[in-house]
Amino acid sequence: MARNKHPEETVNRIVEVSLRLFLEKGYEYTSIQDIIDGLGGLSKGAIYHHFRSKEDILEAVTEKLLGNSNRMLTKIRDCTDRNGKEKLKTLFRESLMRPGQEELFAVAPDIGKNPKLLFSILQDTVDVVVPIYVLPIIEEGIRDGSIETDYPAELAQLIILVANVWMNPMIFEDTPEVSRRKFLIFSQMMKGFGLDVIDEEILARLEELTKIYQKNK
Amino acid sequence: MARNKHPEETVNRIVEVSLRLFLEKGYEYTSIQDIIDGLGGLSKGAIYHHFRSKEDILEAVTEKLLGNSNRMLTKIRDCTDRNGKEKLKTLFRESLMRPGQEELFAVAPDIGKNPKLLFSILQDTVDVVVPIYVLPIIEEGIRDGSIETDYPAELAQLIILVANVWMNPMIFEDTPEVSRRKFLIFSQMMKGFGLDVIDEEILARLEELTKIYQKNK
């Protein structure tokens, strides 16, 4: 077999084809053989050279989709045309509104049945998203007077964990109706912290994404 | 080898001896051999007949300690001398105050490094503690006018997950100082829901338990 001179290209092709298949057939119903067929000519060995398992491929697919997320968070954190509280609102809005979220919700595996995946999401939230993106926004809000709290790090961690984990229909298997009620409780919690940063438009979008996720399960 | 006519007794002895050893030496530093020595005469085979691994024994030890927890929750839920909000306060107080909690915190493993254990705690909270104990208390509070919410099930799940998971120093590896700040944010969140049910005494106790846990790690 000829040696592959462009391993990155191969990885990219595997990820792209897999994403398309996960969207079309669903993750559970896509086999490694389907991916091989979709790649047209790549051997099983070539796939297993880069990925240990289908779960490994899913991780790469998810990372690709999450990469866009970090770029979005950086942009909001570093923009100069709004105060901390407005940035927090933009963050919640963009997290749900931006393009690509339909895809993420459509391919998303049942995280609530996968302890390892849930664990890695928790770790990413606590170790990366909160300290690198959300905390600086809250600290900016304290400086500019738009946010009031004595414990910015803990407030940041609490609201993001509740938003990313508790309100995540992929983890809790919520119906759109339960999603709606959780959102309204979350909204009340945020107001209790003086953070009236979520609105009806964001709620409608969350319900829409929950429906997409449920449909593709 | 003579057949064991009282398997339950054997299991109880293993659990009791293991609990004592986990307390004395710490879970990580207790070997199966230590447990065998502590049992004075039981063979390794007899232990492995009942438990597959040390982790399995830890689960039984934890269940024994948690059994007390369910009895306590039943008593609070079913008592007739206070309203729903007062019951909720009693629940938070007793969860931390009751005897045995020092032991639980001292033997507790590092849940934050054990996805399976974390997962089973999440499931127990969502499937048992919230619907069977906390939701009826909140619904009683709505009926007697002491608690106000349109979404009792979601409120119950949110506050108990935040209390049992986010404020759990065994999961998040919090120092007593971080525990204190999280508690104050939690307290603010509860007040936002009209639930001023936690006080300085409960806070002091949480800090004490966090110290016990950190010391025994």
Side-chain angles (χ1 to χ4, degrees), chain A residues 119 123, chain B residues 109-115 117-118 168-173 213:
Chain A
F119 210 69
Q123 275 186 326
Chain B
D110 194 340
I111 304 169
K113 291 198 181 107
N114 190 329
L117 200 56
L118 173 60
N168 191 331
M170 304 170 206
I171 295 176
F172 278 87
E173 292 293 293
Y213 172 66

Side-chain angles (χ1 to χ4, degrees), chain A residues 21-64:
Chain A
L21 284 167
F22 293 168
L23 283 169
E24 282 171 15
K25 302 166 68 84
Y27 171 72
E28 297 297 338
Y29 299 103
T30 303
S31 65
I32 293 279
Q33 190 57 50
D34 292 331
I35 297 172
I36 289 167
D37 294 346
L39 285 160
L42 208 72
S43 72
K44 205 164 204 158
I47 289 200
Y48 281 112
H49 178 70
H50 297 289
F51 297 100
R52 271 169 311 171
S53 61
K54 199 175 78 170
E55 202 178 271
D56 244 27
I57 299 178
L58 177 63
E59 225 168 81
V61 167
T62 311
E63 260 169 38
K64 179 189 155 82

